[in-house]
Amino acid sequence: MSELLLEVGCEEIPARMLPDAINGLGERLAAALHQAGLTHGRIDCHGTPRRLMAGVEELAFQQPDCIEDRRGPAVEKAFDSAGKPTKAALGFARSCGLAMQQLARESTPKGEYLVARISQPGRPAREILVDLIPNLIGNLPWPKTMRWGAGQFRFVRPIHNLVVLLDGELLDVNLAGIQAGDQVSGHRFMAPGYYRVTGLYQYMDLLATVRVILSQKSREDVIRAGATRLAEQVGGRPLIAPSLLAENACLTEWPVPMRGEFDVKYLDIPPEVLTTSMQHHQKYFPVVDAANKLLPYFILVANMEVPDPSVLIQGNQRVLRARLEDAAFYWKVDRETPLERRRDGLRQVVFQARLGTLWQKSQRVEALAVQLAHAVASDALPGVAAAAPLAKCDLITGMVGEFPELQGIMGGYYARAAGLDYDAAIAIADHYKPQGAADSLPENVPGKLLALADKLDTLVGCFGIGLVPTGAKDPFALRRAALGIIRIVLEFSAHAPRQGEQQALPQINLRQWILAACQGYATHGEKLDRDDSAISHELMAFFLGRLRSHLKAEAIDHDLIDAVEALGLDDLADIVRRVHALNAFKQLPSYAALVAANKRIANILRQSDALAADMALANDIGSGTMENPAEQGLREAMEKLETVVAAYAGQGDYQAALDTLAGLREVIDRFFDEILVMDSDMGVRRRRIDLLSRVRNMFARVADVSRLVLPEV
């Protein structure tokens, strides 16, 4: 068994691309070796900003030998009447490098054929790797690649050196005009230059001596431990976001945490401004006390050890001080102009070239949010009415211009500073939420309604002028907006009063509010390319697609979603309640029998001429003409349960409805065991089909159960 060392040295790889590149290299190398027939042991892949490496242990010396069977002409065509080989047979033997007597015969359903069995010795691993490695490196998936020099080879950054050693022996590999060698670079500043490597394990030892920590996890551990130690020295703890920790690890080969500080006067600025400056702009870790209040310290991560860290720390402090000084200025100046006096300024800012200005959007969102409050939560109306006109005004403040990540948040601060109601200020601060799957929802009801109105207005406008997401392209983040609406609707419904309580369950019919948003564009004079019906139809399909993804994330089987979607409902919360009820129904012992019965009923009704008349004739059943006890038993059970199931379904208690329907299993089974539905007497056949229609319609109060998938036996 052999060991393989592969290292690609290049200019700095963007930190956000490095983790995927490391994983991609490992997966593709394993797949390529498997395809080449080379067995191997553990594959270790690592990366730093300046290198990608892979180490393979217990790699087979060569491919296994194999015997290839080549089929030649049919025996009847291979010999003439005198039994002598024909030209076809002789040519086949010659092409295989064999004599006629070395060919075998193989019987197949199509007849007997000549067969040449050729032994193929396995190729040595070193020969395979010479071809495999350039293809492997050249096909790594990068979000963006580049060319350099006069070559056509594309990689994330220009390659400087390549190392390919098999058992310490250099392989003749050429990549992008660079011949593989046995030299790797050390740390750019702490161990500049190139160093000779002789094998996989010596390579690992060497990098540690030339100030390179190869493992990303090890670098993260160093950063976390150092940041924690430094923060504890000043009575705090570092705020370590996993994504920021990984980014710092991917920016450094020898991470060295250091502690900086800033003037306590900047703690008067809203903490979101400070953390945004430190985390997003400077990649620092803020430090907080036991009560999670910011302390005037931060942790930076350097890529080298220096004799006097104070110089480096002071440089970072100067950079942060400049940003915080700007923030302090904007925090002071912005509050001098209340939000309501800024609203006219929105007329000068384009929201989207075809959808008007921010002022027009603000008008539409305000009208829609107020309508929503009237219909869904009248208690929230004062908060919505106060917040909606001012929600977009912070977009023209200096602070949001400098820190766009703080849109909404600063609006909330400025609203409170101007004495606006607390609920309204929170609604302004939260109305962009949720901005991702991990983001929280708006805190209060006015915020939720304002967020719904804002996102609906954006979705309707973009779909109305054809700006629909395609593939990976979604420049207006419409998928995220749709998911945000879904989460708000579901959460809002989950916290609303249920049946039996004093207030009714709020109904948010998305199609209704999509049409209301369309009307908002018409009322304010913005013309969309598509009519309201087309927009609502397309957007509902878009929402259902996002809801499907949302439910699949909860490990809900796709057939449960299909069974409910078949009803054509518009109420997302109602759809989810039905899906969850089906999920519980799936655990019942009678599930399989009832689903099978519904599938049978669906097939019978599909074939029946009487399908269209099912409901019209339903009242004729029960007239006393039942002759078969099984038929009569099903009818009586139906009459007993129909009202109960309808009541449960009307209350939205679909699980109780399905539990009740599960009681029909025995009478349905008996019906199909003893009854021939397609009786020769057309009157009897029609009556029985009508009865089955009633069964189907009872289940359809929850879902189209016939679409459920039966478990494999």
Side-chain angles (χ1 to χ4, degrees):
M1 292 295 181
S2 301
E3 63 173 40
L4 171 69
L5 169 63
L6 165 66
E7 191 204 87
V8 181
C10 60
E11 294 181 9
E12 273 75 3
I13 300 171
R16 63 186 170 85
M17 300 183 187
L18 187 56
D20 286 344
I22 296 170
N23 294 333
L25 176 61
E27 292 169 0
R28 287 170 180 253
L29 178 57
L33 292 176
H34 176 75
Q35 188 175 10
L38 291 174
T39 60
H40 58 83
R42 192 174 72 174
I43 296 178
D44 276 334
C45 290
H46 299 287
T48 73
R50 300 176 65 215
R51 71 198 77 221
L52 274 178
M53 73 77 61
V56 184
E57 298 176 345
E58 300 176 5
L59 181 64
F61 292 120
Q62 63 177 41
Q63 294 172 318
D65 297 340
C66 64
I67 295 178
E68 179 187 4
D69 281 355
R70 288 187 199 171
R71 183 181 292 177
V75 171
E76 62 181 12
K77 303 287 185 185
F79 299 94
D80 60 17
S81 57
K84 294 183 178 179
T86 62
K87 288 185 178 178
L90 292 171
F92 172 66
R94 190 167 50 250
S95 69
C96 297
L98 300 175
M100 275 300 298
Q101 57 271 25
Q102 291 178 291
L103 297 179
R105 297 189 182 195
E106 182 183 60
S107 295
T108 73
K110 294 182 178 179
E112 194 173 27
Y113 289 84
L114 291 181
V115 173
R117 291 200 164 85
I118 303 171
S119 177
Q120 294 279 12
R123 294 175 62 199
R126 66 185 65 256
E127 289 184 11
I128 296 171
L129 292 171
V130 169
D131 298 328
L132 182 149
I133 288 175
N135 287 331
L136 172 71
I137 303 302
N139 290 308
L140 283 178
W142 299 100
K144 288 183 180 178
T145 58
M146 61 182 296
R147 291 188 289 111
W148 60 94
Q152 297 299 313
F153 186 83
R154 302 190 72 89
F155 199 65
V156 63
R157 289 290 184 271
I159 295 174
H160 286 178
N161 67 293
L162 175 68
V163 174
V164 186
L165 293 177
L166 183 66
D167 288 334
E169 182 181 344
L170 191 60
L171 297 188
D172 184 19
V173 177
N174 189 291
L175 178 68
I178 298 174
Q179 188 65 27
D182 59 359
Q183 305 282 316
V184 297
S185 62
H187 188 280
R188 182 186 292 277
F189 304 110
M190 299 170 68
Y194 284 87
Y195 302 84
R196 184 170 181 271
V197 291
T198 58
L200 177 59
Y201 302 111
Q202 183 263 349
Y203 168 84
M204 298 284 192
D205 296 337
L206 172 68
L207 284 189
T209 64
V210 295
R211 296 294 193 266
V212 175
I213 301 176
L214 200 53
S215 162
Q216 179 185 334
K217 183 178 183 310
S218 297
R219 296 196 297 273
E220 289 181 2
D221 291 343
V222 169
I223 295 170
R224 185 184 290 105
T228 302
R229 174 178 49 81
L230 291 169
E232 287 176 347
Q233 290 174 357
V234 291
R237 63 175 180 83
L239 287 179
I240 300 180
S243 58
L244 185 57
L245 179 64
E247 186 172 2
N248 270 288
C250 291
L251 286 168
T252 54
E253 290 197 311
W254 191 263
V256 181
M258 300 177 183
R259 187 183 64 239
E261 59 184 300
F262 55 86
D263 197 310
V264 293
K265 70 179 183 181
Y266 297 123
L267 292 177
D268 293 335
I269 303 172
E272 291 89 345
V273 179
L274 301 180
T275 54
T276 297
S277 294
M278 287 186 272
Q279 293 177 326
H280 293 271
H281 299 161
Q282 302 304 126
K283 316 303 178 192
Y284 300 156
F285 299 102
V287 176
V288 296
D289 62 15
N292 284 330
K293 290 184 63 176
L294 280 174
L295 296 174
Y297 303 100
F298 62 90
I299 307 298
L300 65 99
V301 180
N303 187 30
M304 58 187 293
E305 294 173 352
V306 290
D308 183 8
S310 64
V311 176
L312 203 154
I313 293 172
Q314 287 171 8
N316 280 272
Q317 289 179 165
R318 278 197 298 273
V319 173
L320 181 62
R321 184 165 56 246
R323 282 199 166 274
L324 297 187
E325 195 61 36
D326 288 345
F329 170 78
Y330 290 126
W331 174 236
K332 177 177 180 295
V333 172
D334 286 345
R335 285 179 293 167
E336 294 173 356
T337 306
L339 288 179
E340 58 266 25
R341 283 171 50 191
R342 293 181 181 273
R343 199 174 184 198
D344 271 351
L346 297 177
R347 296 175 187 270
Q348 310 304 318
V349 184
V350 174
F351 164 57
Q352 204 280 337
R354 303 215 27 221
L355 301 178
T357 64
L358 279 177
W359 185 83
Q360 291 168 306
K361 179 176 176 62
S362 175
Q363 295 267 305
R364 296 191 301 266
V365 170
E366 179 184 358
L368 187 60
V370 169
Q371 286 182 60
L372 272 164
H374 272 299
V376 177
S378 57
D379 291 347
L381 184 57
V384 170
L390 308 177
K392 301 296 179 187
C393 292
D394 67 338
L395 293 177
I396 53 175
T397 62
M399 185 72 87
V400 175
E402 182 73 11
F403 302 91
E405 304 90 343
L406 298 176
Q407 61 179 3
I409 295 172
M410 294 314 302
Y413 276 107
Y414 294 143
R416 281 197 291 272
L420 201 67
D421 175 71
Y422 177 81
D423 273 353
I426 292 297
I428 292 173
D430 286 354
H431 83 281
Y432 289 104
K433 290 184 174 182
Q435 299 192 50
D439 195 13
S440 60
L441 296 180
E443 179 182 325
N444 59 17
V445 175
K448 292 181 176 71
L449 297 178
L450 193 53
L452 277 178
D454 184 35
K455 291 172 172 55
L456 274 172
D457 178 82
T458 301
L459 282 164
V460 165
C462 289
F463 272 68
I465 59 174
L467 295 177
V468 180
T470 55
K473 295 181 179 177
D474 186 10
F476 292 91
L478 300 184
R479 293 190 182 97
R480 191 174 68 189
L483 270 175
I485 288 175
I486 290 171
R487 287 181 58 195
I488 291 172
V489 168
L490 297 183
E491 201 268 350
F492 192 75
S493 175
H495 288 81
R498 298 286 183 179
Q499 66 279 358
E501 298 181 15
Q502 291 185 346
Q503 298 181 43
L505 185 71
Q507 297 294 316
I508 299 182
N509 184 305
L510 263 186
R511 191 182 298 276
Q512 171 192 345
W513 293 108
I514 290 170
L515 293 173
C518 292
Q519 187 59 41
Y521 276 91
T523 303
H524 291 88
E526 288 89 35
K527 183 173 175 55
L528 302 177
D529 295 340
R530 304 179 185 183
D531 61 38
D532 296 358
S533 175
I535 294 172
S536 68
H537 180 74
E538 193 171 0
L539 259 180
M540 281 308 301
F542 187 68
F543 275 117
L544 290 176
R546 298 299 98 200
L547 179 63
R548 181 178 285 269
S549 302
H550 178 79
L551 289 173
K552 282 182 178 175
E554 297 180 11
I556 299 287
D557 293 332
H558 68 88
D559 59 318
L560 307 185
I561 306 169
D562 292 341
V564 176
E565 280 188 9
L567 302 183
L569 302 172
D570 291 341
D571 185 341
L572 297 185
D574 190 51
I575 291 173
V576 171
R577 284 196 296 274
R578 291 169 189 263
V579 170
H580 285 159
L582 283 179
N583 202 33
F585 177 56
K586 202 169 185 176
Q587 313 307 319
L588 298 180
S590 56
Y591 170 79
L594 288 170
V595 171
N598 270 274
K599 287 180 179 295
R600 191 171 178 181
I601 292 170
N603 289 333
I604 292 172
L605 296 179
R606 196 177 300 119
Q607 299 167 9
S608 170
D609 293 334
L611 178 62
D614 53 358
M615 292 306 293
L617 296 174
N619 292 333
D620 295 339
I621 309 300
S623 60
T625 59
M626 300 291 180
E627 293 181 351
N628 190 297
E631 190 178 354
Q632 186 175 1
L634 178 56
R635 178 179 61 80
E636 290 176 350
M638 291 280 299
E639 290 172 348
K640 182 179 178 181
L641 297 183
E642 265 180 332
T643 306
V644 178
V645 171
Y648 280 136
Q651 295 167 357
D653 194 349
Y654 301 112
Q655 188 166 339
L658 287 171
D659 289 343
T660 305
L661 287 168
L664 289 174
R665 177 187 174 177
E666 290 185 6
V667 290
I668 291 177
D669 287 348
R670 186 184 175 197
F671 179 87
F672 281 120
D673 288 343
E674 301 181 10
I675 297 291
L676 175 64
V677 177
M678 296 300 183
D679 194 274
S680 57
D681 183 324
M682 293 305 294
V684 173
R685 178 191 296 189
R686 187 173 182 177
R687 185 184 67 216
R688 291 172 178 171
I689 287 173
D690 291 341
L691 182 59
L692 292 182
S693 293
R694 290 177 65 185
V695 175
R696 180 200 60 182
N697 292 337
M698 263 216 319
F699 277 92
R701 289 185 179 277
V702 179
D704 184 350
V705 179
S706 67
R707 291 176 179 255
L708 297 178
V709 176
L710 286 172
E712 295 183 5
V713 179

